[in-house]
């Protein structure tokens, strides 16, 4: 589950994502949109009344707004020709304290319900469904429960489980103790072990409060809107969470989780009537209308600006907000005003967002309308984006100072203004630990001996329930036979442009062109390797050709959907010691802007600016700070990357480019007083990377525009060729590639690579751990890869989830298979050694065959829901382009997945993961740890 922070009802066109998945490239009525156009306002359908039906051609959908007759529940359906259908129910949840009651409730409702009384139906459904998305979110003032799937039967199954969870949950005391918080013996089986705070949300929020950016944003909102629900932490402030009682949780559900306080949203090509019938019969028909007291009053306006200060851990300093605000306002209010080209760039961004098709359009739409709808705004009006752009253009035409006046009104003359600064405190973590210890001792001192006995007994009871094999037979499930036996084939053509190999993939991209280029790093000297991610992050932001960096940024916004360069390390699909190393160029644009986009690339290749040390310093500082701030959110990724470092050649490169090694390197660069030496390395890297001799390209566009795109690409390649008479002939196809695998990949072979074991600990300034163990196994095309894939999913669901999350109290944990590695991980985890022990016991569990055929079938469903997740037109053929994995190789792997048996799982668990069989790496990021410090087998960084 995810905890969101969102201020009252701010909605921004520029920021919202309408990025959608739409198989037709120009608007025409489709069966899904046609069907709902037949509805009339006032029509009654399954207990609902239609309020309005509106075609929204901008987004290729038709919106139907309804109200439930009995309860007043609001409903919006977006009919669209998209197989990835979505359901969401959101409730206005307005807490008045910091106990995190809506967040803990969001977790607890998913732990069992009247119709589905088994423990944790939500996590169990992840393995009984082909869902493309399942989650729940707690925002500042609403809680949302969305899921999506491409399968009709699956939609009905998930809808049944979600409706029962939200409106008829069990809300058992033990579930509250597990998910929210509890006082419990450190070792639940030993009554003499010390009492400590435990709980999933308790540990999740300790992790959240070690993310400086999140602390700043949370504090800003609390102080700017202090008088009502925005003045508190909806996710829960760690030291306030233990003030919440089970009774208060149940009361919050009774007062907030009612259809009269609910907004339902469905999206996609499935029939609306079926959804309405099921929602009415299974939930809404059992309620009468109430008048929920959940509205948020306006915040009284301040008559003068305020200032405040917040401290954070010393890991990274937040920028000085007051300086930024001053700079921003002096620019906006100067004679310069708002340049027309700048406005056009932002309107162009909106056009791109409407045209670009992601696979999660339904979810983007649900998130986009959520805040406004939550405060009784009209969601249908929000969808009419072109109308709002037209109104905006008219307002500018009628009043050339329209925007300046808005700035004066909302910024300059607005006395409800907060200047919030943030600074690091060396003792921040120490103070947090001390405050938690004081809170704990205060709670313990209030206990009688019989209270302590009661705590011990409840701890044993919870442990006993957590250790029992759960009967989930009450839950609906798809069968393995519901999975498509074959994959849909993606056709690609190969050709050349200026001697460079190109993959062309014709797709309904809705008037967009998507360009990628892979540039090999094979000729790059070793001493430049650490600098490659820095090069990637600055090369499109320093200026190029006749443009300074500001003009370059504006042209990119005006003519493209974004231009980026990133490192790319792809292990070979058949040999663990072979890989491709490169940087990936990515950009997109409207078809009419293709020459402009390629002209920008041409300038970046031919004449990038590497002479502005001041600009480089700003970019380096931003990059280093972003990396440092990201650790508390993505610590498990850093732990996994480090654990894999010494197991494969790609592992070492991935650690260099994106692991803790890169974080420390960027910190070092940011602290350099003089960056001239760094400036000098950039053109050296450019010569090796941005060179057509080391490139291959891919283009996704509509069939109508493909030949034009090919011609434009040919021009680009001729423009960037360093010296035409030195051009080599067309690059040969990869001799090792299977037939039809497209442009050749420049593979590196390291036949003498020797994997070795290593355990690394990184002391970090936050109160929770990220733990990972990585084991070298087999590549993608190996016959055992499929069994290891199913094992990872099954072990996660049937063993590790219970041990690491339910018993251990970590926010998450599990196992995954990929890139030749079997990887264990935990996220925001109060434990270290105990978690490593759980990983090992998971292997013993698998080797002893303590699982059923149903467990295997569920793991297969879960794996296939990932394998078959929808692919956007912009990304079709990309797997083949990046990794060389063709549709034929995918189909062969698919057949091996279907063929996995209990015998093959026990076999691979023993052969690859058993003690003595494995070559493994371990890494932990977390607070100072004496046990590990004293153990000589660990390297402490």
């Amino acid at each position: 589950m995810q905890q969101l922070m969102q201020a009252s009802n701010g909605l921004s066109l520029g920021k919202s994502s309408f990025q959608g998945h739409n198989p037709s490239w120009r608007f025409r009525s489709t069966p899904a949109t046609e069907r709902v156009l037949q509805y009339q306002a006032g029509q009654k359908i399954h207990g609902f009344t239609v309020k309005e039906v509106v075609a929204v051609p901008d987004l290729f959908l038709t919106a139907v707004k309804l109200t439930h007759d009995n309860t007043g529940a609001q409903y919006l359906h977006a009919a669209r020709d998209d197989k990835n259908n979505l359901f969401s129910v959101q409730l206005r949840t307005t807490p008045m304290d910091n106990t995190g009651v809506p967040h803990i409730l969001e977790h607890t409702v998913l732990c069992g319900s009247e119709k589905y009384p088994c423990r944790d139906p939500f996590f169990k459904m992840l393995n009984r469904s082909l869902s493309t998305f399942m989650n729940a979110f707690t925002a500042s003032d609403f809680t949302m429960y969305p899921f999506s799937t491409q399968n009709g039967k699956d939609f009905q199954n998930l809808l049944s489980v979600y409706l029962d969870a939200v409106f008829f949950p069990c809300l058992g005391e033990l579930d509250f103790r597990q998910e929210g918080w509890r006082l419990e013996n450190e070792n639940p089986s030993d009554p003499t072990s010390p009492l400590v705070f435990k709980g999933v949300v308790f540990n999740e929020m300790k992790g959240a409060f070690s993310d400086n950016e999140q602390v700043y944003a949370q504090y800003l909102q609390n102080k700017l809107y202090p008088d009502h629900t925005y003045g508190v932490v909806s996710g829960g402030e760690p030291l306030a969470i233990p003030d919440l009682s089970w009774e208060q949780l149940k009361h919050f559900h009774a007062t907030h989780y009612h259809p009269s306080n609910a907004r339902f949203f469905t999206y996609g090509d499935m029939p609306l009537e079926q959804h309405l019938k099921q929602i009415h019969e299974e939930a809404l028909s059992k309620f009468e209308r109430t008048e929920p007291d959940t509205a948020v009053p306006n915040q009284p306006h301040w008559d003068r600006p305020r200032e405040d200060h917040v401290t954070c851990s010393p890991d990274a300093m937040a920028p000085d907000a007051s300086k930024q605000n001053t700079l921003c306002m002096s620019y906006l209010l100067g004679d310069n005003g708002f340049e027309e080209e700048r406005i056009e760039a932002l309107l162009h961004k909106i056009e791109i967002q409407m045209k670009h098709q992601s696979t999660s359009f339904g979810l983007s739409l649900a998130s986009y309308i959520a805040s406004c709808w939550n405060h009784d705004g009209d969601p249908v009006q929000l969808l009419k984006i072109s109308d709002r752009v037209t109104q905006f253009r008219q307002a500018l035409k009628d009043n050339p100072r329209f925007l300046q006046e808005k700035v004066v009104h909302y910024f300059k003359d607005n006395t409800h203004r907060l200047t919030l600064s943030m600074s690091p405190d060396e003792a921040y973590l120490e103070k947090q630990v001390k405050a938690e210890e004081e809170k704990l001792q205060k709670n313990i001192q209030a206990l009688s001996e019989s209270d302590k006995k009661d705590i011990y007994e409840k701890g044993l009871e919870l442990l006993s329930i957590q250790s029992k094999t759960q009967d989930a037979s009450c839950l609906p499930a798809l069968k393995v036979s519901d999975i498509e036996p074959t994959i849909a084939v993606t056709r690609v053509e190969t050709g050349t442009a200026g001697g460079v190999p190109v993959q062309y993939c014709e797709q309904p991209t809705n008037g967009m062109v998507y360009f990628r280029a892979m540039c090999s790093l094979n000729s790059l000297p070793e001493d430049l390797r650490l600098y490659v991610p820095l090069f990637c992050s600055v090369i499109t932001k320093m200026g190029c050709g006749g443009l300074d960096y500001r003009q370059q940024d504006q042209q990119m916004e005006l003519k493209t959907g974004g231009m980026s360069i990133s490192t790319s390390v792809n292990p070979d699909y058949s040999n663990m010691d072979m890989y491709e190393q490169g940087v990936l160029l990515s950009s997109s644009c409207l078809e009419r802007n293709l020459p402009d986009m390629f002209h920008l690339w041409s300038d970046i290749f031919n004449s990038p600016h590497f002479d502005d040390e001041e600009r480089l310093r700003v970019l380096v500082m931003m990059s280093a700070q972003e990396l440092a701030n990201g650790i508390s959110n993505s610590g498990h990724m850093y732990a996994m990357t480090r654990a894999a470092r010494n197991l494969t050649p790609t592992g070492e490169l991935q650690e260099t480019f994106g692991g803790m090694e890169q974080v420390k390197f960027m910190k070092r660069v940011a602290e350099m007083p003089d960056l001239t030496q760094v400036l000098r390395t950039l053109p050296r890297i450019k010569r090796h990377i941005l060179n057509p001799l080391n490139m291959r390209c891919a283009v996704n566009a509509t069939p109508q525009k493909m030949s034009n795109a090919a011609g434009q690409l040919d021009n680009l390649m001729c423009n960037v060729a360093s010296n035409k008479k030195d051009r080599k002939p067309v690059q040969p196809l990869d001799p090792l590639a299977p037939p039809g695998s497209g442009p050749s990949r420049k593979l590196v072979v390291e036949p003498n690579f020797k994997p070795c074991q290593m355990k690394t600990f990184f002391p970090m300034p936050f109160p929770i751990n990220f733990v990972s163990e990585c084991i070298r196994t087999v590549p993608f095309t190996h016959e055992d890869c499929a069994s290891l894939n199913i094992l990872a999913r099954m072990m996660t669901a049937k063993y590790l989830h219970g041990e690491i999350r339910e018993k251990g109290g970590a926010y998450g944990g599990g196992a995954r298979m990929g890139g030749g590695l079997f990887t264990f991980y935990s996220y925001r985890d109060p434990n270290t050694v105990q978690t490593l022990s759980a990983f090992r016991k998971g292997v013993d569990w698998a080797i002893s065959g303590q699982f059923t055929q149903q467990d295997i079938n569920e793991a297969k469903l879960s794996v296939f829901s990932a394998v078959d997740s929808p692919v956007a037109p912009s990304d079709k053929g990309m797997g083949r382009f990046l990794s060389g994995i063709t549709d034929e190789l995918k189909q062969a792997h698919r057949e091996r997945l279907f063929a996995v048996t209990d015998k093959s799982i026990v076999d691979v668990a023993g052969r690859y993961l058993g003690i003595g069989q494995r070559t493994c790496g371990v890494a932990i990021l977390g607070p100072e740890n004496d046990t590990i410090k004293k153990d000589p087998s660990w390297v402490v960084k």
Side-chain angles (χ1 to χ4, degrees):
M1 271 67 69
Q2 186 172 328
Q3 198 263 335
L4 296 176
M5 285 195 321
Q6 187 162 341
S8 54
N9 47 6
L11 262 171
S12 124
L13 270 177
K15 198 175 110 188
S16 294
S17 33
F18 334 98
Q19 298 163 354
H21 164 80
N22 164 43
S24 76
W25 63 275
R26 91 160 71 91
F27 185 64
R28 60 175 185 266
S29 282
T30 61
T33 52
E34 261 169 27
R35 246 192 336 258
V36 296
L37 281 169
Q38 296 161 12
Y39 297 134
Q40 304 286 320
Q43 188 177 342
K44 305 273 186 189
I45 317 170
H46 298 301
F48 288 85
T49 300
V50 177
K51 292 296 179 188
E52 63 176 318
V53 181
V54 184
V56 186
D58 289 345
L59 303 177
F60 308 95
L61 60 83
T62 301
V64 185
K65 199 156 72 164
L66 309 99
T67 307
H68 188 250
D69 302 334
N70 260 15
T71 62
Q74 297 176 49
Y75 196 115
L76 180 68
H77 177 68
R80 198 166 187 256
D81 189 24
D82 186 345
K83 288 185 170 62
N84 196 22
N85 287 256
L86 176 119
F87 165 84
S88 150
V89 57
Q90 70 177 67
L91 304 118
R92 191 194 283 151
T93 47
T94 48
M96 295 304 292
D97 60 37
N98 287 324
T99 58
V101 58
H103 186 194
I104 293 171
L105 181 58
E106 172 230 305
H107 278 242
T108 315
V109 300
L110 299 172
C111 288
S113 60
E114 282 179 16
K115 198 166 161 189
Y116 305 112
C118 64
R119 285 188 63 251
D120 222 349
F122 177 85
F123 276 98
K124 290 186 172 60
M125 284 307 291
L126 285 170
N127 306 294
R128 299 169 77 87
S129 143
L130 288 171
S131 67
T132 52
F133 183 84
M134 273 179 76
N135 214 328
F137 307 116
T138 304
S140 295
D141 52 10
F142 68 85
T143 306
M144 180 190 271
Y145 296 87
F147 71 77
S148 61
T149 180
Q150 302 174 89
N151 180 295
K153 177 79 184 112
D154 200 25
F155 192 98
Q156 291 175 14
N157 290 351
L158 289 166
L159 181 54
S160 183
V161 171
Y162 266 61
L163 289 172
D164 211 56
V166 169
F167 295 109
F168 313 105
C170 297
L171 298 183
E173 187 184 5
L174 290 177
D175 294 322
F176 165 66
R177 288 167 59 78
Q178 173 184 289
E179 295 297 316
W181 76 277
R182 63 190 183 276
L183 253 187
E184 190 177 85
N185 296 96
E186 196 167 38
N187 174 357
S189 311
D190 177 6
T192 64
S193 65
L195 289 171
V196 291
F197 287 133
K198 294 183 184 177
V200 173
V201 171
F202 179 73
N203 286 313
E204 180 191 348
M205 294 313 293
K206 277 172 75 171
F209 272 81
S210 59
D211 176 344
N212 293 341
E213 285 182 357
Q214 194 166 333
V215 169
Y216 186 87
Q218 179 71 64
Y219 203 82
L220 185 68
Q221 177 181 299
N222 295 161
K223 295 297 175 184
L224 197 59
Y225 299 96
D227 293 2
H228 200 265
T229 194
Y230 307 117
V232 304
V233 183
S234 65
E237 201 278 311
L239 293 186
I241 288 173
D243 296 335
L244 180 67
S245 72
W246 177 43
E247 294 302 329
Q248 287 168 324
L249 181 93
K250 291 189 289 186
H251 180 257
F252 194 87
H253 182 272
T255 51
H256 290 76
Y257 276 51
H258 189 282
S260 302
N261 191 41
R263 287 150 184 83
F264 292 86
F265 175 69
T266 49
Y267 162 90
D269 65 358
M270 291 176 192
L272 169 62
E273 295 93 322
Q274 173 62 47
H275 301 340
L276 297 176
K277 184 173 190 289
Q278 190 176 350
I279 289 166
H280 173 71
E281 288 175 359
E282 295 189 13
L284 303 194
S285 60
K286 298 166 188 177
F287 290 89
E288 292 301 321
R289 186 187 294 254
T290 63
E291 296 300 327
D293 180 21
T294 57
V296 182
N298 286 338
Q299 165 69 40
H301 201 274
W302 299 341
D303 54 10
R304 63 176 191 276
R306 298 182 184 178
E307 288 188 10
D308 212 324
H309 181 76
V310 60
T311 59
C312 64
S313 70
D315 198 33
M317 277 183 76
D320 184 334
S322 59
K323 269 186 200 162
Q324 280 199 326
N325 291 344
T326 314
L327 284 171
C328 177
M329 279 190 329
S330 59
Y331 169 69
L332 292 171
L333 297 170
D335 301 331
N336 193 354
F338 288 85
E339 294 166 28
E340 195 175 330
E341 202 169 54
R342 187 87 198 112
I343 294 168
E344 285 305 320
L346 290 166
L347 294 176
H348 169 259
K349 200 173 181 178
I350 292 169
E351 186 182 357
I352 289 264
Q353 286 176 324
M354 287 195 290
K355 294 262 187 194
H356 173 70
Q357 304 161 55
S358 81
T359 54
S360 55
F361 184 78
L363 184 63
S364 299
L365 219 51
S367 308
Y368 170 58
I369 62 174
S371 196
C372 177
W373 197 16
N374 190 49
H375 295 283
D376 302 315
D378 183 353
V380 175
Q381 286 307 310
L382 273 187
L383 301 178
K384 296 178 179 174
I385 294 148
S386 285
D387 292 0
R388 298 179 72 189
V389 170
T390 306
Q391 288 163 9
F392 174 71
R393 286 192 186 279
Q394 191 59 46
L396 280 182
K397 201 172 164 187
D398 297 343
N399 175 9
R401 290 194 55 78
F402 174 75
L403 286 170
Q404 282 88 333
E405 286 169 12
K406 294 290 180 202
V407 170
V408 170
H409 176 72
Y410 287 111
F411 299 162
K412 184 170 181 281
D413 295 347
N414 187 354
T415 51
H416 196 109
R417 190 164 76 233
L418 174 70
T419 303
L420 178 65
S421 57
M422 187 180 209
S423 62
D425 176 359
E426 291 300 326
Y428 183 79
L429 188 62
E430 206 179 298
K431 287 176 184 171
Q432 276 189 320
V433 171
K434 191 177 175 213
E436 185 182 326
E437 185 55 34
E438 283 170 2
K439 176 93 180 176
L440 177 66
Q441 290 312 321
K442 193 178 164 195
N443 281 33
I444 291 171
Q445 278 157 18
L447 299 173
S448 65
E449 282 310 308
S450 75
D451 290 336
K452 289 179 185 172
K453 188 166 181 279
D454 188 43
I455 285 171
Y456 171 63
E457 281 164 4
K458 276 184 177 164
L460 286 181
E461 187 187 356
L462 181 59
L463 185 61
S464 146
I465 285 174
Q466 288 169 336
S467 304
K468 270 187 193 140
T469 304
Q470 294 295 312
D471 175 16
S473 57
C474 63
L475 286 170
L478 292 182
K479 299 183 173 71
V480 173
S481 57
D482 292 320
I483 302 167
E484 288 291 331
T486 56
I487 58 165
V489 172
T490 301
R491 284 192 56 233
V492 299
E493 303 288 326
T494 53
T496 59
V500 173
V502 186
Q503 172 182 292
Y504 298 104
C505 186
E506 293 182 349
Q507 287 292 324
T509 57
N510 196 23
M512 296 280 293
V513 179
Y514 297 89
F515 167 71
R516 275 87 160 195
M518 178 69 87
C519 305
S520 172
L521 287 174
N522 288 0
S523 68
L524 189 78
E526 194 63 38
D527 65 310
L528 297 179
R529 204 154 279 222
L530 261 173
Y531 289 90
V532 172
L534 172 61
F535 173 86
C536 291
S537 74
V538 305
I539 182 74
T540 56
K541 301 184 186 110
M542 297 275 289
C544 62
L547 307 171
D548 66 24
Y549 71 86
R550 286 189 187 89
Q551 293 165 327
Q552 179 187 24
D553 180 61
Q554 189 143 312
Q555 283 304 305
M556 280 162 57
E557 288 225 322
L558 195 58
K559 300 296 185 186
T560 80
M563 300 176 69
S564 66
I565 303 188
S566 55
T567 57
S568 178
V569 182
N570 293 301
D572 182 58
Y573 50 75
S574 61
N575 182 337
M576 301 271 289
D577 298 327
M578 275 167 72
Y579 60 94
E580 183 183 37
Q581 52 175 348
V583 301
L584 182 67
L585 282 56
S586 304
S587 65
S588 62
C589 65
L590 298 167
E591 287 167 350
R592 66 175 187 258
N593 291 329
L594 191 57
D596 300 295
M597 179 176 84
F598 280 158
H599 181 72
L600 281 165
W601 276 124
S602 177
D603 279 353
I604 287 168
F605 270 72
N606 291 334
S607 47
H609 296 181
F610 292 132
D611 51 3
D612 186 344
E613 188 179 344
E614 220 24 66
R615 173 64 178 160
L616 180 66
R617 181 167 299 286
V618 169
L619 293 172
V620 164
M621 288 299 290
M622 282 165 62
S623 184
Q625 187 167 321
E626 242 169 65
L627 283 174
N629 289 348
I631 298 172
S632 63
N633 248 339
S634 310
H636 61 311
M637 301 305 292
Y638 283 103
M640 288 193 275
T641 304
R642 186 60 174 217
R645 180 190 187 174
N646 297 313
L647 301 181
T648 64
T650 49
E652 199 161 345
L653 209 47
Q654 276 155 342
E655 172 67 17
T656 301
F657 286 163
M660 291 301 288
E661 188 179 344
Q662 181 63 212
V663 176
K664 288 163 87 172
F665 170 72
M666 283 304 298
K667 184 176 189 297
R668 225 167 44 239
V669 174
E671 287 165 358
M672 287 179 181
D674 179 4
L675 289 177
T676 45
Q677 177 256 326
V678 178
L679 269 177
R680 279 202 295 270
T681 64
L682 299 178
R684 284 180 63 205
I685 294 172
K686 191 223 106 171
R687 278 198 297 280
H688 288 277
I689 294 180
L690 302 185
N691 178 347
L693 297 178
N694 297 333
M695 280 174 72
R696 56 194 175 84
C697 303
V699 177
N700 284 27
T702 58
Q704 294 83 347
K705 291 290 171 185
M706 194 57 96
S707 60
N708 176 36
Q712 299 281 353
L713 181 57
D714 204 65
N715 293 344
L716 171 69
M717 288 304 146
C718 292
N719 279 342
V720 301
S722 43
N723 187 334
K724 283 188 185 161
K725 59 178 188 289
D726 288 346
R727 290 308 305 276
K728 291 184 182 170
V730 172
Q731 298 176 24
L733 285 176
D734 175 5
L736 298 162
S741 61
S744 68
R745 298 173 302 133
K746 295 180 174 297
L747 294 168
V748 179
V749 189
E750 295 200 14
N752 301 321
F753 180 82
K754 291 276 184 291
C756 64
Q757 318 232 66
M758 194 166 189
K759 288 155 72 175
T760 316
F761 180 77
F762 291 90
M764 300 299 291
F766 36 72
I768 35 78
N769 299 284
F770 299 95
V771 184
S772 178
E773 179 172 350
C774 230
I775 301 165
R776 183 178 159 114
T777 56
V778 294
F780 178 76
T781 53
H782 193 283
E783 59 181 9
D784 291 335
C785 182
S787 296
L788 286 161
N789 252 309
I790 302 293
L791 170 58
R793 191 55 243 171
M794 185 173 72
M795 198 192 290
T796 298
K798 301 297 171 184
Y799 188 83
L800 297 173
H801 175 77
E803 293 297 312
I804 295 170
R805 182 179 164 117
E806 293 184 348
K807 293 182 191 173
Y811 184 42
R816 57 174 70 167
M817 172 68 194
L821 301 169
F822 193 96
T823 305
F824 296 97
Y825 66 93
S826 73
Y827 184 78
R828 290 185 176 165
D829 188 346
N831 308 302
T832 50
V833 181
Q834 182 183 325
T835 300
L836 288 172
S837 166
F839 296 161
R840 280 187 285 277
K841 286 176 184 163
V843 174
D844 297 340
W845 170 86
I847 291 171
S848 64
Q850 293 175 40
F851 48 85
T852 63
Q853 186 57 46
Q854 177 64 20
D855 295 340
I856 298 172
N857 293 347
E858 288 181 13
K860 286 183 180 178
L861 279 167
S862 183
V863 166
F864 276 108
S865 76
V867 167
D868 293 339
S869 60
V871 179
S874 56
D875 294 326
K876 289 269 176 151
M878 272 304 105
R880 171 188 301 228
F881 177 72
L882 293 173
S883 63
I885 296 175
T886 60
D887 288 342
E888 293 76 12
L889 288 173
K890 282 185 190 166
Q891 183 60 34
H893 180 67
R894 187 180 195 83
E895 285 159 19
R896 285 194 290 271
L897 286 170
F898 278 120
V900 168
T901 62
D902 56 349
K903 195 177 269 162
S904 72
I905 289 173
V906 170
D907 174 54
V908 296
R911 272 194 299 127
Y912 296 105
L913 312 181
I915 297 287
Q917 305 304 314
R918 56 186 177 189
T919 308
C920 66
V922 179
I924 297 176
L925 281 71
E928 293 284 350
N929 187 311
D930 287 341
T931 313
I932 286 174
K933 252 188 189 165
K934 289 171 188 161
D935 182 342
S937 69
W938 284 89
V939 174
V940 178
K941 286 288 170 186

